[in-house]
Amino acid sequence: MDLSNSSPVITDPVAISQQLLGGLPSNLMQFSVMPGGYSSSGMNVGVSRLKIEEVLVNGLLDAMKSSSPRRRLNVAFGEDNSSEEEDPAYSAWMAKCPSALASFKQIVASAQGKKIAVFLDYDGTLSPIVDDPDKAVMSPVMRAAVRNVAKYFPTAIVSGRSRNKVFEFVKLKELYYAGSHGMDIMAPSANHEHSAEKVTKSLLQVVSGIEGATVENNKFCVSVHYRNVAEKDWKLVARLVNEVLEAFPRLKVTNGRMVLEVRPVIDWDKGKAVEFLLQSLGLNDSENVIPIYIGDDRTDEDAFKVLRQRNCGYGILVSQVPKETEAFYSLRDPSEVMEFLNFLVRWKKHSVLRAPSRFGSNSDSDSKVPTQKLHMCNKRFVDSLVLLVCWMVWKERNAHVFQNQRCSASFLFGSIKKEVAIWKEAGASAASSSSSGSGDAKPVKGLGLGLGLPDPRAPRRRAAKQPTAAPPPLPPRGAYASEALEKLTRETREAVRGLETATGAMAGLDDDAMMEEFVKQFEEFAGAQDMDSIVETMMQQLLSKEILHEPMKDIVEKYPKWLEENKSKISKEEYERYNNQLELMMKLNEVYEKEPENMAKIFEIMQNMQECGQPPSDLVQDIAPDLDLSKLGQLTFQPKELPASNLLSKIKEEEQRGALRVREASLPGCRCN
Ligand SMILES: O=P(O)(O)OC[C@H]1O[C@H](O[C@H]2O[C@H](CO)[C@@H](O)[C@H](O)[C@H]2O)[C@H](O)[C@@H](O)[C@@H]1O
């Protein structure tokens, strides 16, 4: 939806069709308007069938137009620049449906002493919406967050997809799954599956001539996707689906995010699925169980409604625009969902350290937390610090393993402090650019956390050449990158704030004591998630398709020409090395395209890449000036070889034994990234 449109609120498609149908004499309305959809079954064809059909098609079309609203696009980068603070409609909506992150305190306060059960929709909630439904993969960090949540709370995925398909995406055995809008947990008759197959065939036939239209069989339901169909053809899609459904009186159609969902006319939906799951998991005690349901789509409203009616638990709508909803709270996008899930885990794990600055709790347990801890428990600071310490320790470990270089704890701490200074610089710029609200998307030095990572927001030549008047469509595959970028920016900013707090809190402590404190905090946090998985998650994020694929594609595109032009200017060895590098990059791109989740392969290629050193600097300069492949390669050794959590104690031990060679002198600038 274009926000410049008149109504800021997306209305229910049913309401739209009812409105339209309201104009007809009631005796002509023998077709049924289903809750959450409508079916053309039982239609009285005597009077003006064509007219009724037209009304149905138009109703469907209206619903299609109002679905999957898009936000304003930034002219230069195809990104959204608008902030909710500037949008009065959004602010008004937020007052009714506040952020679940901002309201975390209330949510957990009401859950004190009760059991939380978590229900999660998949598309648009755990994975960003993308053009190709088969590519709606979940990021490794999101998977880690869901895995952690499931460690502490019974967790179920409730999806419109078939159960198998959603499992293929989520890949976590510890969860419960309800596919086909929850239908596959209620053992529907084989007839439903059969008619889904039949209607899939008919739908495939009729839409085959419409460019971009696809049909997805979700076992008991069928999705007709029109996200990639030109808007002028949407009416045709609506008409054809409507026509096909006339032969299937037991099926109805509802509208989701750029998708028409054909479902059996049975009294079953995601709300019923949630009730069923609560019952069968022994969580039906509404006094003592708080179900939290997070979803982004219309079908999730059935679940929100159930929670509201039961007067227990919370629906959380994932949306960046105001919507009519039965949910109590909102989150803007999957990255906020992940943050919320992480909050839940930390709250559960560290309830003893719960402090006002962190979750705003003022429970008794707070009084037992020492003041210094209160300062240090600023959640985001701890997170950022953890990442930072983790990263530095990891680099140290690499230097230790690959270069046989070791450093003292105080040197390591010095490096951490230097890194923090870089964060500080980045955070200050990031904070000022965001608080100015100017929408200035200039790259911020240091946004790659000093890791030599490309800044996904840095304008590349290709982007700069695009005419500013016509904004490029928001590339769905960039969603993770901007998610990652947002996260890094947020963490950086918070690290800076946290650093200030910590500086005050730790004033008077000497380097070693400070280091001890850092490590203690780190271990507390790491204890919640296990150190290896934090490192692994971080490595996965840094080497993920979302971060690296775009710059790699750009380099691979230009590399052959560069080689040709420079062959006579470089040595034979260099030429071979570069050729080798190009081949590896091509391999890497292939993995990113075909099996982006295959981290083992990505690690392997990156390791080999490390041997090839940096690509020619004039080649990468325009594309990804900060990209340092040889350094990224160092990331790829499995943490299991030497758990990073042991490293600090190992360093200390060796230091005590006097076995350390301090390497400050050998490392100019002390930057070991
Ligand atoms: O209940 P959900 O798990 O949210 O499933 C609802 C539909 O999700 C998928 O479609 C949506 O996501 C696609 C990938 O991002 C996107 O291309 C499409 O436009 C969205 O509607 C799924 O493909 C459908 O079958 C589900 O019904």
Side-chain angles (χ1 to χ4, degrees):
M1 184 182 71
D2 179 358
L3 285 180
S4 60
N5 244 341
S6 51
S7 163
V9 172
I10 295 174
T11 45
D12 186 336
V14 181
I16 297 173
S17 33
Q18 274 168 338
Q19 235 176 7
L20 279 159
L21 297 170
L24 292 173
S26 58
N27 61 347
L28 292 186
M29 293 181 56
Q30 289 179 12
F31 49 86
S32 42
V33 176
M34 307 306 298
Y38 61 78
S39 143
S40 56
S41 63
M43 194 184 288
N44 182 338
V45 292
V47 189
S48 63
R49 181 191 162 125
L50 276 179
K51 189 171 175 195
I52 293 169
E53 270 177 15
E54 196 56 27
V55 168
L56 283 173
V57 170
N58 283 337
L60 203 49
L61 184 64
D62 278 352
M64 289 162 82
K65 283 186 179 161
S66 72
S67 82
S68 203
R70 285 174 193 235
R71 307 187 71 204
R72 273 195 296 258
L73 298 179
N74 170 284
V75 175
F77 297 99
E79 279 176 4
D80 174 35
N81 264 342
S82 59
S83 75
E84 67 274 28
E85 289 81 16
E86 293 163 26
D87 178 353
Y90 190 83
S91 309
W93 182 66
M94 284 294 274
K96 281 197 250 160
C97 195
S99 158
L101 291 174
S103 313
F104 195 76
K105 173 189 162 185
Q106 288 95 305
I107 295 176
V108 292
S110 69
Q112 281 299 347
K114 298 185 180 177
K115 190 164 190 167
I116 291 180
V118 179
F119 297 90
L120 302 163
D121 165 55
Y122 183 71
D123 291 278
T125 299
L126 297 181
S127 69
I129 293 291
V130 293
D131 281 350
D132 181 351
D134 288 339
K135 299 212 169 118
V137 291
M138 190 173 169
S139 67
V141 274
M142 179 66 99
R143 182 167 301 107
V146 176
R147 183 191 287 126
N148 279 330
V149 157
K151 274 188 203 158
Y152 297 102
F153 314 100
T155 304
I157 305 284
V158 186
S159 169
R161 305 248 191 183
S162 73
R163 190 145 50 115
N164 285 347
K165 205 176 238 176
V166 79
F167 178 76
E168 272 169 32
F169 282 128
V170 178
K171 294 191 187 104
L172 293 173
K173 291 205 174 113
E174 49 273 62
L175 310 182
Y176 303 94
Y177 292 85
S180 313
H181 299 285
M183 268 168 224
D184 63 2
I185 51 171
M186 46 85 82
S189 79
N191 281 343
H192 290 306
E193 202 176 332
H194 184 57
S195 51
E197 268 167 33
K198 270 175 68 183
V199 81
T200 302
K201 272 193 197 141
S202 310
L203 288 167
L204 273 170
Q205 252 171 20
V206 297
V207 303
S208 63
I210 304 177
E211 206 185 326
T214 54
V215 178
E216 185 185 5
N217 183 346
N218 285 330
K219 193 161 181 185
F220 299 108
C221 313
V222 181
S223 293
V224 180
H225 292 276
Y226 59 92
R227 180 169 295 277
N228 304 316
V229 174
E231 196 166 339
K232 65 173 177 42
D233 292 333
W234 288 7
K235 187 161 186 182
L236 183 59
V237 174
R239 182 179 303 288
L240 293 172
V241 169
N242 200 52
E243 274 169 21
V244 166
L245 282 203
E246 278 179 26
F248 294 87
R250 295 161 102 59
L251 296 177
K252 65 177 178 180
V253 60
T254 55
N255 186 51
R257 296 181 71 172
M258 301 270 189
V259 67
L260 295 176
E261 287 165 325
V262 175
R263 300 154 64 179
V265 181
I266 48 175
D267 186 18
W268 194 266
D269 52 38
K270 287 186 173 183
K272 293 269 187 331
V274 167
E275 283 181 317
F276 180 92
L277 282 166
L278 285 171
Q279 178 85 44
S280 42
L281 297 175
L283 299 168
N284 214 19
D285 172 2
S286 54
E287 293 288 294
N288 290 307
V289 176
I290 300 269
I292 294 180
Y293 186 106
I294 312 181
D296 72 313
D297 216 337
R298 296 211 167 100
T299 51
D300 299 310
E301 290 295 329
D302 295 317
F304 299 153
K305 203 188 255 171
V306 161
L307 299 190
R308 212 175 250 275
Q309 282 163 358
R310 287 165 62 108
N311 199 19
C312 94
Y314 303 105
I316 302 177
L317 175 68
V318 183
S319 176
Q320 300 201 344
V321 291
K323 283 184 186 174
E324 262 175 22
T325 181
E326 296 282 341
F328 279 93
Y329 295 108
S330 63
L331 290 168
R332 292 170 67 89
D333 51 29
S335 75
E336 285 204 354
V337 173
M338 184 166 80
E339 206 169 327
F340 180 82
L341 298 179
N342 288 337
F343 266 31
L344 274 181
V345 169
R346 280 180 219 129
W347 166 74
K348 182 79 180 171
K349 184 77 188 168
H350 297 283
S351 52
V352 72
L353 291 179
R354 228 172 295 138
S357 60
R358 193 172 180 203
F359 297 121
S361 159
N362 50 10
S363 71
D364 286 351
S365 59
D366 291 337
S367 57
K368 295 178 198 126
V369 181
T371 329
Q372 186 170 320
K373 280 235 159 107
L374 288 184
H375 283 294
M376 293 294 290
C377 279
N378 174 306
K379 177 212 151 281
R380 292 201 174 176
F381 169 55
V382 174
D383 283 3
S384 306
L385 192 58
V386 164
L387 273 178
L388 184 59
V389 173
C390 185
W391 171 244
M392 298 302 291
V393 168
W394 184 247
K395 284 196 298 185
E396 181 45 44
R397 172 247 180 232
N398 285 335
H400 180 135
V401 173
F402 303 113
Q403 291 152 22
N404 200 23
Q405 288 170 330
R406 299 169 192 189
C407 75
S408 66
S410 59
F411 173 76
L412 183 56
F413 180 58
S415 308
I416 291 174
K417 282 207 289 195
K418 284 204 167 73
E419 196 76 3
V420 167
I422 295 170
W423 282 37
K424 194 166 179 166
E425 191 191 328
S429 339
S432 65
S433 75
S434 94
S435 64
S436 71
S438 66
D440 183 2
K442 276 188 211 118
V444 179
K445 186 168 176 280
L447 264 176
L449 298 185
L451 312 183
L453 280 176
D455 172 0
R457 207 168 51 173
R460 299 193 191 115
R461 274 256 166 100
R462 192 192 284 168
K465 275 185 198 152
Q466 281 170 345
T468 48
L474 193 64
R477 66 168 171 263
Y480 286 163
S482 53
E483 228 176 76
L485 175 72
E486 265 173 38
K487 191 160 179 277
L488 294 183
T489 313
R490 260 200 318 265
E491 280 168 357
T492 304
R493 211 177 301 145
E494 293 306 325
V496 174
R497 282 194 210 129
L499 186 72
E500 279 150 17
T501 316
T503 315
M506 295 202 285
L509 297 183
D510 63 18
D511 269 13
D512 275 353
M514 257 201 228
M515 185 68 174
E516 287 280 311
E517 185 58 36
F518 271 152
V519 174
K520 216 157 67 204
Q521 292 298 328
F522 176 63
E523 280 170 355
E524 271 166 13
F525 182 87
Q529 299 194 22
D530 101 60
M531 173 67 192
D532 284 356
S533 72
I534 293 177
V535 174
E536 201 178 316
T537 303
M538 214 170 67
M539 283 161 45
Q540 290 190 353
Q541 196 178 8
L542 296 176
L543 300 176
S544 68
K545 176 179 177 176
E546 293 71 37
I547 300 275
L548 280 186
H549 194 200
E550 283 296 319
M552 284 292 172
K553 275 200 300 194
D554 283 352
I555 298 175
V556 163
E557 201 183 299
K558 293 183 179 152
Y559 217 146
K561 190 164 172 254
W562 186 95
L563 277 172
E564 209 184 292
E565 284 170 3
N566 290 279
K567 192 171 179 183
S568 59
K569 298 178 206 157
I570 54 178
S571 69
K572 195 170 163 244
E573 290 73 42
E574 269 179 316
Y575 184 74
E576 268 167 23
R577 178 165 67 82
Y578 286 145
N579 254 317
N580 201 3
Q581 187 169 55
L582 172 60
E583 246 169 57
L584 287 167
M585 286 177 173
M586 286 159 75
K587 253 194 212 163
L588 186 66
N589 282 347
E590 204 179 312
V591 179
Y592 282 143
E593 270 142 36
K594 295 192 181 144
E595 37 180 353
E597 300 262 336
N598 191 340
M599 290 316 286
K601 228 181 211 171
I602 293 173
F603 287 175
E604 193 192 316
I605 297 173
M606 289 307 289
Q607 278 174 32
N608 293 335
M609 197 104 82
Q610 198 187 338
E611 321 250 299
C612 303
Q614 269 291 80
S617 55
D618 51 334
L619 178 69
V620 288
Q621 193 112 50
D622 297 338
I623 301 166
D626 296 331
L627 183 69
D628 186 339
L629 295 172
S630 55
K631 307 287 162 48
L632 279 174
Q634 286 185 1
L635 279 169
T636 57
F637 292 85
Q638 296 290 348
K640 297 212 166 52
E641 290 167 23
L642 174 57
S645 46
N646 290 344
L647 189 69
L648 275 172
S649 46
K650 260 200 154 16
I651 291 170
K652 287 217 152 191
E653 261 170 43
E654 292 191 35
E655 198 180 23
Q656 271 155 18
R657 284 194 292 115
L660 272 176
R661 267 181 290 132
V662 179
R663 69 187 162 100
E664 279 96 330
S666 63
L667 279 177
C670 299
R671 292 283 311 283
C672 46
N673 57 327

